[in-house]
Amino acid sequence: MTMKTNARAVVIGGGVIGVSVAYHLAKYGWKDDVVLLEKHELTSGSTLMAAGNVSFFHSNYYGTQVNKKSIEIYKELEKETGQPVGWHTTGSIRTADNPGRMDELGYAYSMNRCLGLDVSYVTPEEIGKMHPFIQTEGLLGGLYWPDDGDVDPNSLTQAMAKGARKLGVEFNLHTMVTGIYQKSGGEWVVETDKGDITCENVVNAAGLWAPEVARMVGLEIPSISIAHTHILYESIQEIADRDTYLPLMRDPDKSIYLRQEMDSLILGLYEANGQQWYKNGVPWDYAQEELNPDFDNISDCIEGGIERFPILGETGFKHVTAGPITYTPNGDPLVGPAAPLKNFYNACGYSFGITQAGGIGHYLAGWMMNGEPEIDLWPMDSRRYGSYANWAYNTEKIADTYPRLYATIYPNEFRDAARPNRTSPIYEYQKQANAVFGDYYGWECPNYFPPKGEDGYEDPSWRRSNAFQHVGNECTHVMEKVGIIDLTRFAKTKISGPGAKAWLNHMTCQKVPEKDGRIALSPMLDHNGNFKTDMTVSRVNENEFFCVTASVGKKHDQHWMLENLPEDGSVCMEDITYQMGCLVLVGPNSRDVLAKVAYDDVSNDLFKFGTSREIFVGRTKCRVNRMNYVGELGFEIFHPIQHQITLYQDLMNAGAEFDIRLIGMYAMDCMRLEKGYLAWKSEMNVHHTPLETNVAWTVKMDKEFIGKKGLEKQKKEGIPQKLVCMVVDAKDADPFGYNPIFAGDERIGMTSSGGYGHRVEKSIAFGYVKPAFAKEGTQLEVEILGRKRRATVSAMPLYDPKNEKMKS
Ligand SMILES: Cc1cc2nc3c(=O)[nH]c(=O)nc-3n(C[C@H](O)[C@H](O)[C@H](O)COP(=O)(O)OP(=O)(O)OC[C@H]3O[C@@H](n4cnc5c(N)ncnc54)[C@H](O)[C@@H]3O)c2cc1C
């Protein structure tokens, strides 16, 4: 058979992920317009080595949703394709032997309940009854998912391939992709050793070789291969004698999992010194070969397995499988549009690809065909990594991530690996001020500043940590005096040209400022009217706009703009992120400080709230926006990065008489909650429209813009959910997002973010609820770490509702 020369989509890689993407693209309509290319046989990479465990558990909400979808698909596949996949519903238990782990399970429990999953707490006694081979000493408890199971990875892949072939997908095995280029018209040409294929869309599902395939189109992707091991034991008579399957066990504190395989057990290990495999690229001719197990490295985990399951100590090994597995810096895969390219997608970097293949095939196919993802896939979106995630960064980060795969996850833990990376010029000053740093999109940013002489280390916790009081002091300081917040990491984009204004008006639901020096909060929406991103637009002049978005969204946001840029050259987009820093001067004394150093009148009469001006602050020419994210009188001072130290010294000297001090990210986040300011990917993601929120006022329906039709439809059909602010009766653990919200026993919504507001002295949650429950004063409950807490729907914002402070 000769290979097709044209296709709608070409999928590179015949592992479980590529096959699932091809199957779902065909199933949802592209049928025989899909071609899959595989350099060897199907399952020639990681897929063949996998143990086949499939669980609901994932560290984040959307990952859990992907896993849920996979399980639904796997249970139906045999019926759909006629090919058995070896699915067993065994249930699974995840154990805890320390309070921090119990809190992590509490987070998972509550987050899973947001999705309506069947999950329950189990005591050590119950665990012992469910798994007679476990030694429960030292366990505090666990979580049980009755619907988890396992599947045969090869059969699963073959079943989806069979389904895909039936729908018309062309599979070209022993066909190696050797190059990829884009024609001037935008079509891709995929070159292979059997000829070329021209296509509209390309999917990089090349697994272990995905970085090499990415390099064919000039991209670096953060994925590295590591040797991973599991051990199959000899037959065990007590297991052969059982008539029910044992649940899959995960003891993350011993870094192991254990599952039944026929009449025996498989022990899987995440050893402390995981060995990276072919750091500089996996050889093209590698296929289906097992690696040599490194017993020195895995012996601690084997011992841990015997401690927890003593029967392993009495049973011999039948087979030890060591195979390469891909890892990314945070262990989540790389999915979706590959910025800055158009119609080129990633579906790689999988370390739990068997679990996620079904779900990701479904969601990515939908995303490619409809232009928007059905669920928010941001935690997996390959654009979450910027250019900072280079080879050295990945090597260091992944060496830290792999052995910690089962380590307790804490929301406030910032690991040291691959840091510091990007720093502001004033980094040394921040260090001198005793900053405790976090890393955000590769930037070192102070989270908070404990007093000098105090330990600069935050205890990782799901509860209020040792940072709590220090953060409170920073909030009070900003409320009463003046502080500087370093937001150098903001993504900054200059939009200019004769078509700039009209184009921006098309891109955002807000009206672009009509006068020079005006600022507009300008959400960008997707085609359905849901939030794409949130942008602050300052008009420099008729043909030039200064646009600021969240640092972590830089690649995502700029990709969206680039994809929509007119081809006639009337609009120019320039990334000026790394040319400009931003220091935010905030607090009631901020104007007094600025007045001392500015070569300009910064009084309220001449520099009104919501305006932007070019001002000399000392010898530095700055763009100063009179606005901020904390709700006090304040100024965002954007400046050429090379002037930052001078500017900082000028401000600190001028502020000395007002007791000026540095303020961190944590305080800023507490204060934005009090002010009802929304955060991107928390309150603003693909599941929310502005009409459901307190920024509905930014929507100007008397003009055309992307997403308008979606909003019109929503207006006609009615708003399905409303964003509310709740004051929560929490004592030591505040809401954080993905907490279920209840009215009695009914689950009526989910929190989007939360924390403690030190200025109002209240625990605060934002969340989306059914409109009937959005009225001020409604009594609800928010579940935090597995415990329900009383919550009252409250006026938004809680702090300075008339904005008197900001406008003073
Ligand atoms: C020991 C071990 C145990 C595991 N256990 C589990 C588990 O229990 N549960 C779980 O969910 N996951 C598990 N995994 C992880 C899982 O196996 C992987 O995440 C998954 O298989 C990745 O699939 P993939 O399709 O992305 O990549 P791969 O399986 O690596 O497939 C990529 C394919 O692309 C092809 N290819 C590459 N380059 C080209 C090219 N230029 N031209 C044409 N074809 C090309 C390759 O030949 C290969 O067939 C395990 C992995 C290992 C190693």
Side-chain angles (χ1 to χ4, degrees):
M1 196 182 78
T2 51
M3 194 168 81
K4 273 191 175 145
T5 52
N6 280 281
R8 186 108 190 236
V10 167
V11 179
I12 303 170
V16 70
I17 298 292
V19 172
S20 179
V21 174
Y23 169 60
H24 285 94
L25 282 172
K27 187 171 166 180
Y28 301 147
W30 285 5
K31 295 185 189 299
D32 57 358
D33 230 356
V34 180
V35 171
L36 185 137
L37 303 173
E38 164 56 51
K39 67 181 172 60
H40 195 74
E41 300 286 340
L42 295 183
T43 72
S44 286
S46 288
T47 303
L48 195 68
M49 314 285 167
N53 307 325
V54 179
S55 315
F56 284 102
F57 181 86
H58 194 95
S59 58
N60 64 61
Y61 175 81
Y62 294 108
T64 310
Q65 213 166 342
V66 169
N67 296 1
K68 177 173 182 269
K69 192 75 194 169
S70 289
I71 292 177
E72 285 164 18
I73 291 169
Y74 298 166
K75 286 183 172 170
E76 292 303 308
L77 256 183
E78 184 173 348
K79 227 187 288 164
E80 272 186 38
T81 63
Q83 166 91 31
V85 298
W87 173 264
H88 304 112
T89 302
T90 61
S92 87
I93 296 171
R94 201 174 179 92
T95 59
D97 74 6
N98 62 78
R101 180 72 72 184
M102 278 309 279
D103 279 350
E104 181 200 51
L105 293 187
Y107 171 70
Y109 173 81
S110 296
M111 185 248 281
N112 279 213
R113 272 155 61 84
C114 291
L115 284 165
L117 297 185
D118 190 354
V119 55
S120 52
Y121 279 102
V122 278
T123 63
E125 291 71 35
E126 287 165 329
I127 296 171
K129 281 193 190 129
M130 293 160 92
H131 202 294
F133 303 102
I134 195 168
Q135 158 67 261
T136 56
E137 205 185 306
L139 291 183
L140 299 181
L143 282 188
Y144 173 56
W145 288 265
D147 295 325
D148 281 358
D150 58 76
V151 72
D152 173 45
N154 188 29
S155 305
L156 171 67
T157 312
Q158 300 299 345
M160 290 191 286
K162 187 172 172 190
R165 282 193 181 100
K166 267 197 207 163
L167 292 160
V169 175
E170 182 182 281
F171 279 71
N172 293 291
L173 306 184
H174 300 282
T175 306
M176 163 107 169
V177 173
T178 52
I180 309 168
Y181 67 90
Q182 198 167 22
K183 288 183 173 173
S184 56
E187 287 171 306
W188 291 101
V189 178
V190 180
E191 300 172 317
T192 81
D193 54 359
K194 305 272 167 65
D196 297 353
I197 311 185
T198 304
C199 61
E200 211 179 293
N201 300 280
V202 180
V203 181
N204 179 0
L208 303 169
W209 298 266
E212 279 66 52
V213 170
R215 258 173 231 133
M216 293 178 188
V217 288
L219 298 181
E220 283 294 326
I221 57 167
S223 168
I224 284 178
S225 300
I226 294 204
H228 175 55
T229 311
H230 56 78
I231 302 168
L232 174 67
Y233 285 78
E234 297 283 4
S235 298
I236 299 171
Q237 192 55 44
E238 290 100 309
I239 293 182
D241 291 343
R242 289 175 57 86
D243 47 15
T244 52
Y245 242 78
L246 290 164
L248 162 68
M249 301 299 300
R250 284 206 167 85
D251 182 342
D253 300 308
K254 296 210 181 299
S255 212
I256 55 164
Y257 62 78
L258 186 87
R259 83 157 169 85
Q260 183 175 345
E261 171 70 19
M262 311 290 279
D263 56 3
S264 184
L265 295 168
I266 288 181
L267 177 74
L269 325 153
Y270 289 97
E271 70 277 19
N273 295 309
Q275 296 302 303
Q276 298 189 10
W277 189 65
Y278 285 113
K279 276 187 196 166
N280 295 313
V282 176
W284 289 112
D285 59 0
Y286 168 79
Q288 300 187 334
E289 273 164 54
E290 289 185 11
L291 314 180
N292 288 327
D294 184 345
F295 285 103
D296 284 346
N297 261 336
I298 62 178
S299 58
D300 284 354
C301 287
I302 296 174
E303 284 299 318
I306 294 170
E307 273 172 38
R308 186 57 72 211
F309 302 98
I311 198 164
L312 298 178
E314 302 156 17
T315 316
F317 296 168
K318 186 169 181 185
H319 185 76
V320 181
T321 306
I325 191 166
T326 51
Y327 262 78
T328 65
N330 75 347
D332 267 328
L334 305 167
V335 181
L341 308 175
K342 208 168 179 167
N343 296 337
F344 195 100
Y345 297 87
N346 287 321
C348 48
Y350 274 92
S351 34
F352 290 99
I354 309 304
T355 307
Q356 296 184 317
I360 219 59
H362 164 85
Y363 289 120
L364 181 61
W367 193 352
M368 290 170 66
M369 296 167 85
N370 306 322
E372 308 294 349
E374 180 187 328
I375 63 167
D376 201 298
L377 291 174
W378 179 243
M380 284 148 253
D381 195 316
S382 34
R383 294 169 296 187
R384 72 186 185 278
Y385 290 111
S387 54
Y388 66 91
N390 57 26
W391 182 89
Y393 172 91
N394 299 333
T395 308
E396 289 177 39
K397 205 75 178 173
I398 293 166
D400 185 60
T401 302
Y402 174 81
R404 293 182 46 80
L405 186 94
Y406 275 171
T408 311
I409 303 154
Y410 292 106
N412 61 345
E413 186 169 20
F414 296 84
R415 305 279 305 160
D416 287 342
R419 289 174 58 199
N421 198 344
R422 285 178 175 146
T423 57
S424 298
I426 59 164
Y427 174 65
E428 288 301 327
Y429 289 92
Q430 292 167 334
K431 268 173 51 179
Q432 279 164 25
N434 209 22
V436 177
F437 290 92
D439 60 329
Y440 303 84
Y441 202 69
W443 288 96
E444 283 299 299
C445 302
N447 281 332
Y448 68 100
F449 295 86
K452 282 191 182 159
E454 249 191 57
D455 191 11
Y457 178 75
E458 184 183 7
D459 297 329
S461 175
W462 283 96
R463 295 167 191 269
R464 290 175 190 165
S465 76
N466 56 330
F468 185 79
Q469 202 43 58
H470 303 310
V471 174
N473 295 342
E474 287 177 30
C475 295
T476 308
H477 195 93
V478 169
M479 180 169 70
E480 293 174 353
K481 297 178 179 175
V482 60
I484 290 182
I485 305 174
D486 175 15
L487 284 178
T488 294
R489 67 192 172 108
F490 263 150
K492 301 146 219 122
T493 313
K494 180 170 140 185
I495 301 291
S496 59
K501 189 175 126 194
W503 179 75
L504 277 172
N505 263 321
H506 166 70
M507 293 296 291
T508 150
C509 59
Q510 171 68 288
K511 267 199 183 132
V512 169
E514 287 293 334
K515 289 191 179 158
D516 294 356
R518 286 284 161 88
I519 306 174
L521 295 179
S522 308
M524 288 190 185
L525 312 181
D526 65 22
H527 292 283
N528 303 319
N530 297 310
F531 284 108
K532 193 77 167 178
T533 189
D534 187 34
M535 185 164 72
T536 304
V537 176
S538 307
R539 173 165 153 151
V540 177
N541 61 51
E542 198 182 356
N543 292 329
E544 188 182 323
F545 298 85
F546 175 63
C547 304
V548 179
T549 55
S551 63
V552 289
K554 177 179 177 297
K555 207 177 205 179
H556 170 278
D557 298 345
Q558 292 181 339
H559 191 206
W560 176 243
M561 292 191 235
L562 194 65
E563 278 184 321
N564 284 284
L565 221 53
E567 280 170 14
D568 61 9
S570 60
V571 183
C572 177
M573 179 186 146
E574 192 187 343
D575 177 11
I576 51 172
T577 302
Y578 306 115
Q579 295 167 30
M580 298 188 86
C582 178
L583 298 179
V584 188
L585 189 62
V586 268
N589 295 131
S590 57
R591 183 185 287 121
D592 300 326
V593 175
L594 187 61
K596 281 179 74 181
V597 277
Y599 279 91
D600 231 321
D601 188 336
V602 292
S603 67
N604 196 34
D605 288 344
L606 289 178
F607 195 0
K608 292 243 175 312
F609 175 72
T611 64
S612 171
R613 289 169 63 186
E614 242 174 24
I615 294 176
F616 274 93
V617 183
R619 283 176 302 281
T620 309
K621 193 176 174 189
C622 304
R623 169 149 299 278
V624 184
N625 285 359
R626 202 188 137 186
M627 62 183 316
N628 61 80
Y629 200 44
V630 306
E632 301 287 349
L633 173 66
F635 305 85
E636 290 178 347
I637 308 175
F638 295 91
H639 53 271
I641 196 90
Q642 67 275 22
H643 284 252
Q644 186 169 83
I645 289 182
T646 323
L647 173 70
Y648 172 78
Q649 287 168 337
D650 286 345
L651 291 172
M652 289 303 274
N653 289 337
E657 63 173 296
F658 303 100
D659 195 17
I660 193 166
R661 62 166 289 183
L662 286 168
I663 305 294
M665 293 297 115
Y666 285 178
M668 186 177 79
D669 196 50
C670 295
M671 292 188 275
R672 73 104 189 158
L673 287 168
E674 294 167 313
K675 278 302 289 174
Y677 294 154
L678 313 189
W680 185 66
K681 289 295 172 197
S682 295
E683 285 73 42
M684 301 168 139
N685 72 20
V686 306
H687 300 285
H688 317 126
T689 77
L691 299 181
E692 298 161 359
T693 71
N694 59 347
V695 297
W697 60 271
T698 60
V699 176
K700 304 290 154 48
M701 293 300 268
D702 58 346
K703 60 160 205 158
E704 295 308 314
F705 57 90
I706 297 178
K708 184 177 175 186
K709 282 201 179 69
L711 297 188
E712 281 170 345
K713 185 164 169 267
Q714 191 174 60
K715 279 194 161 184
K716 214 156 89 198
E717 291 173 357
I719 307 291
Q721 57 180 357
K722 276 274 179 197
L723 178 70
V724 293
C725 170
M726 289 162 286
V727 171
V728 184
D729 192 4
K731 294 282 177 281
D732 68 339
D734 297 299
F736 17 68
Y738 309 107
N739 308 89
I741 306 170
F742 293 93
D745 285 338
E746 188 190 354
R747 186 165 41 85
I748 51 104
M750 178 171 87
T751 64
S752 46
S753 55
Y756 190 80
H758 291 271
R759 290 179 300 188
V760 298
E761 297 182 335
K762 289 181 169 75
S763 183
I764 304 168
F766 290 170
Y768 283 89
V769 297
K770 294 180 184 170
F773 299 96
K775 236 176 85 199
E776 212 181 307
T778 305
Q779 292 299 312
L780 301 169
E781 283 179 302
V782 167
E783 190 178 283
I784 306 170
L785 303 178
R787 277 192 58 199
K788 286 183 179 173
R789 315 279 178 152
R790 266 189 318 197
T792 309
V793 176
S794 305
M796 196 170 181
L798 293 165
Y799 182 75
D800 187 23
K802 292 189 177 149
N803 284 337
E804 284 165 343
K805 294 187 180 238
M806 283 208 300
K807 292 182 176 171
S808 61

